[in-house]
Amino acid sequence: GAGTDVAKETAAIIVADDNFASLVAGIEEGRFAYDNIRKVVYLLISTGGAEIVLFSLSLTCGLPLPLGAVQLLWLNLVTNGIQDVALAFEGGEPGAMSQAPRPPGEGLFNRLMVSQTLISGAVMGSLAFSTWAWLLAQGMEVTAARNFVLLLMVLLENIHVFNCRSERLSAFRTPLRRNPLLIGGVLIAQGIHILVMQWPFMQRVLEVAPVTLGAWLNLLALAGLLLVVMEIYKYFRQRCQS
C-alpha cells in the first residue's frame, strides 16, 4: 500500500493495503485456483485415459471399435465440455490453508494426481470394455452395442465429476451447495444425451437410439461402481496418512 513506485515495479507480489490479512486472503485464493486447475485436469486426463483403456482392450481382444469418431467427439466436447467448465467454479475447500505448502519444484502431476488418475481411468475403461464385450457376446449388433457403451461412458463421466470435486474428502462429505453450477452441468449433460437419443436427426449423426428406463438404471448402477472404488481409495489413503 504505502510502498514506493520503485518497490512496486520490482515486486513479485503487491499488497493493496497494509493489512497482513490481505496477503493471507490472496494466498488462500491462489490455493483455491490451483486446486480447481488440478480438479479439471484430473477429470479430463482420467476420462481420456479410460477411452484409451477401452480401445486398447478391444483391439487386443480382436473386437470391433467400441465407439465411432463422432461419438468420441460428442463424449469429449459435449459431456466433458459442459462438466469441466462447471467444475472450474468449485468453491474452495475449508481445509485448504491447513495443508502444508507444496514443494516449489513439484509439478501438477504429483504422486496423488498420477495414482488417482490411473485408478479412475482404469476402472472406467474396464467397466466400459466389460460391458462392450458382454453385449457382443450376447449377440447384440455392433451399432446397438455402441449405443449402450456411449451412454455408459456419459454416465461414468457424470459420476466421476463428483469424485473430482475433492482429492482428499469423500464425495459424500463435499456439500452440493458449494457448486450448484456443477449440479446443473451434470443434469444438462445427461439431459442433452437423452434428448439426442430421441431426436431422429441426431440419432443418424451419432448412431444412437432410445433405451428403456430399466436399461438406463442398470447402466447407472454399473457406473456407480466407479464412485465405490474411488471412495475406498480415498478412505485407505486417509488411513495411511493418519
Side-chain angles (χ1 to χ4, degrees):
T4 65
D5 290 338
V6 174
K8 292 178 180 179
E9 289 174 2
T10 58
I13 298 176
I14 299 175
V15 184
D17 53 45
D18 295 327
N19 188 351
F20 184 73
S22 299
L23 185 59
V24 176
I27 294 173
E28 184 178 49
E29 286 301 318
R31 289 194 172 192
F32 291 164
Y34 182 77
D35 286 347
N36 281 0
I37 291 172
R38 286 178 60 90
K39 292 169 186 176
V40 172
V41 171
Y42 171 30
L43 173 65
L44 294 176
I45 300 298
S46 57
T47 52
E51 294 165 3
I52 293 174
V53 171
L54 170 60
F55 275 78
S56 298
L57 290 176
S58 298
L59 292 173
T60 301
C61 296
L63 299 178
L65 293 179
L67 294 172
V70 178
Q71 292 172 328
L72 268 178
L73 284 173
W74 174 264
L75 194 61
N76 292 327
L77 296 181
V78 178
T79 304
N80 249 0
I82 293 173
Q83 295 187 163
D84 60 16
V85 171
L87 183 60
F89 289 89
E90 184 71 22
E93 296 185 39
M97 291 299 286
S98 64
Q99 299 296 317
R102 61 185 176 88
E106 181 182 84
L108 190 67
F109 283 89
N110 59 4
R111 184 176 180 179
L112 171 59
M113 175 70 86
V114 171
S115 62
Q116 65 186 3
T117 299
L118 290 176
I119 293 172
S120 58
V123 171
M124 285 188 284
S126 299
L127 288 173
F129 170 73
S130 299
T131 302
W132 172 242
W134 184 81
L135 291 173
L136 294 179
Q138 299 303 305
M140 183 176 288
E141 194 266 332
V142 170
T143 302
R146 282 177 177 167
N147 180 47
F148 281 94
V149 172
L150 178 60
L151 177 56
L152 175 59
M153 287 297 295
V154 172
L155 288 167
L156 283 167
E157 292 184 357
N158 291 156
I159 288 178
H160 186 46
V161 74
F162 292 100
N163 292 324
C164 300
R165 296 185 67 206
S166 176
E167 295 180 287
R168 298 180 294 272
L169 298 178
S170 164
F172 299 103
R173 294 176 56 194
T174 309
L176 295 177
R177 65 178 179 275
R178 202 167 73 194
N179 191 357
L181 187 63
L182 180 63
I183 310 304
V186 171
L187 294 176
I188 289 172
Q190 180 61 210
I192 289 177
H193 191 75
I194 292 175
L195 179 63
V196 302
M197 290 193 296
Q198 317 291 329
W199 187 8
F201 172 74
M202 292 302 294
Q203 286 177 351
R204 293 191 296 272
V205 172
L206 287 177
E207 296 184 332
V208 294
V211 300
T212 64
L213 177 60
W216 185 87
L217 290 174
N218 286 334
L219 291 175
L220 178 62
L222 186 62
L225 293 176
L226 171 64
L227 183 62
V228 174
V229 172
M230 296 312 296
E231 287 296 304
I232 293 173
Y233 165 77
K234 288 181 180 179
Y235 173 77
F236 281 105
R237 183 176 175 276
Q238 289 287 94
R239 287 286 301 271
C240 291
Q241 288 184 335
S242 60

